[in-house]
Amino acid sequence: MPNLQRISVDTVKRAADLAYEAVADRQRYVAGMRNIDLGEQEQERGSRNPTDLDALNIMPAEASEALDQLQQLLSGLTAEERVELRAVMLVGRGDYAGNEWDKALDGAASPPDASAYDDIAEKIELHDYLMKGLFALDLMPGDQQPGQQPGQRT
């Protein structure tokens, strides 16, 4: 079982919880939009049909306190902590298996600017990726399963 060396499991869970809340804010924001022009869309790796509507960053800053808190949390992390968080996200996304932690760390450190957090904060699936990553890495307590809402018990 890999151990997180730089970032705590609680911090990863806090980021996941804030992402979950930001998605709810995003859904309320998008529900009020009509006839918007998305312009030219850049294809994201592995994306089926990319669109800015699949991102959290479509909202103005005042539309989501949770997204603001998530961005503050991520900006307050060290570069090494962000790499570990990104590695957990990559495992949860399925890029690496739970037993490939070293490969996930290498993959997380390899983007042009691995110390940035913008690509983490804009992922609409961030909550699911982080929770599934913690579960795959055997870092999740047995009382919460991937995809379960924060605070929900089975």
Side-chain angles (χ1 to χ4, degrees), residues 100-142:
E100 297 178 313
W101 179 244
D102 291 335
K103 288 181 183 178
L105 279 174
D106 289 342
S110 65
D113 188 6
S115 64
Y117 65 88
D118 293 343
D119 69 317
I120 298 171
E122 68 187 31
K123 302 282 185 217
I124 194 166
E125 301 94 351
L126 181 60
H127 171 265
D128 293 341
Y129 290 161
L130 292 176
M131 297 307 283
K132 287 177 183 179
L134 288 173
F135 184 77
L137 294 166
D138 289 329
L139 297 172
M140 229 7 237

Side-chain angles (χ1 to χ4, degrees), residues 1-9 84 87-88 91 96-105 133-140:
M1 171 170 92
N3 287 324
L4 299 177
Q5 301 294 316
R6 306 286 183 187
I7 193 169
S8 72
V9 171
E84 279 197 351
V88 172
V91 169
Y96 301 95
N99 63 356
E100 297 178 313
W101 179 244
D102 291 335
K103 288 181 183 178
L105 279 174
L134 288 173
F135 184 77
L137 294 166
D138 289 329
L139 297 172
M140 229 7 237

Side-chain angles (χ1 to χ4, degrees), residues 65-80:
E65 184 178 331
L67 181 59
D68 184 51
Q69 289 177 11
L70 175 62
Q71 290 171 335
Q72 288 176 20
L73 174 85
L74 296 174
S75 68
L77 297 176
T78 66
E80 295 84 11

Side-chain angles (χ1 to χ4, degrees), residues 30-62:
V30 170
M33 299 174 80
R34 302 277 191 269
N35 299 322
I36 59 169
D37 180 16
L38 297 176
E40 189 66 31
Q41 299 296 302
E42 184 176 319
Q43 184 141 9
E44 183 178 310
R45 182 179 143 227
S47 181
R48 64 196 176 342
N49 186 16
T51 172
D52 281 343
L53 290 178
D54 287 340
L56 291 173
N57 60 1
I58 63 165
M59 298 179 289
E62 65 275 359

